[in-house]
Amino acid sequence: MHSSTTLTSNNRIEIADVLRGFAVMGITLIHFIERFSLNSFPEETSNFLLFTDRVIWDSIFFTFSGKAYCIFALLFGFSFFIQDNSQKEKGKDFSGRFAWRLVLLFVIACVNSTLFPGEILILYALLGYVMIAVCRFSTRTIAIIAVILLLQPLEWGQIIYALINPEYVPIADFDAPYWEIVNTAQKEGSFLELCKTTIWTGNVANMGWMLLHGRVTQTAGLFMLGMIIGRSNVLPYSEKNIKLWVKVFIIVTISFFPIYGLVALLPDFISREALLVPSTLLLKSLANLAFTGILFAGVILVYYLTRLGRVLHQLAPYGRMSLTNYLSQSLIGGFLFYNWGLGLYLHTGITVCFLMGIGMFLIQLFFSRWWLRSHRQGPLEWLWKKATWIKTGKG
């Protein structure tokens, strides 16, 4: 498996595309069972569907919720390193060009946020500048900053503040009123009404949710971790790298279960909400990171060491076109579920949504494979790259 597929003809590290494809597949399934942030479901009358709805919801959320985005963030940082390093080898500084690339991503993300208010790329476009700030630091320094960010400093601050001030009550769910406005537009509004609501209120709701759930510091930390993965050259196949990923897999697996178990026990020991909320978020975030490590290292080991690697190899084209696939599903998902389109939120339960998500993934997978037979990149990837290098015409 490894000897022929580690690098593609244009020197892409193929396992990175496989991991990216795996992450976008997980994001697609989550989006579909959530009906693209429209969390209201028709009542199921069938006991069988009630059972499958619950099993699908719990298992997809357990496997992918928060973890698929973590993998995506790691690979965003990894991609930055690859591009930055490539320019550095030519004696050029990539930081200005990358800053412009993030502006372009912000514009793309704003357009996407009008279609789907659960958009993550706005956060990436805003936080991406931290990579420019740290990219010339030593690997050790970047690792220390990444660890601090991944340990959720804002939540630690809240816990300390709550211990010092017994009167302190956190503002919980301040994003909820905004989501109500957005959900109403999704259920009742025309396409233009939805766009007008989501471009501001939708982004406020989404950013509020990400702030409340520790995604801001976590994402910045993951970007840096992705850069370190790139610097350390641990993704291509080698015996040394395989040993490393086996170690990572063992450590994160051992870490995950006690942390995950502690989350359920916390309410028995902490009754005060001001302490319970940030403590729970802290542990959930660490459990998510550990499970992300299980998935990340697991996919790498399966890809390089087992026959199932051939199956995972099929995800590479899907991952190479991750931007195109991620953005196009927002338009298609909005059309399928929201009022301006087919309004299927009135009729589809979780099981049906899951099957639709699998259908969407397969259609995009086949399209990606077909497209890449005659093109080096996906259409939106090509456009983003062209616009990135617009002044010099180099790529």
Side-chain angles (χ1 to χ4, degrees), residues 154-223:
L154 297 178
E155 275 55 51
W156 279 109
Q158 257 188 293
I159 291 166
I160 293 162
Y161 187 75
L163 288 169
I164 298 167
N165 296 280
E167 316 293 301
Y168 171 64
V169 178
I171 307 165
D173 297 336
F174 60 77
D175 58 327
Y178 298 101
W179 280 119
E180 277 180 41
I181 297 165
V182 171
N183 286 160
T184 303
Q186 289 168 320
K187 291 176 189 174
E188 298 167 15
S190 65
F191 182 73
L192 285 175
E193 284 165 349
L194 179 75
C195 291
K196 274 196 285 188
T197 305
T198 51
I199 191 65
W200 177 251
T201 312
N203 279 314
V204 170
N206 196 32
M207 286 297 171
W209 185 90
M210 287 192 279
L211 203 57
L212 280 172
H213 290 81
R215 289 286 175 87
V216 177
T217 49
Q218 186 190 63
T219 301
L222 288 164
F223 285 172

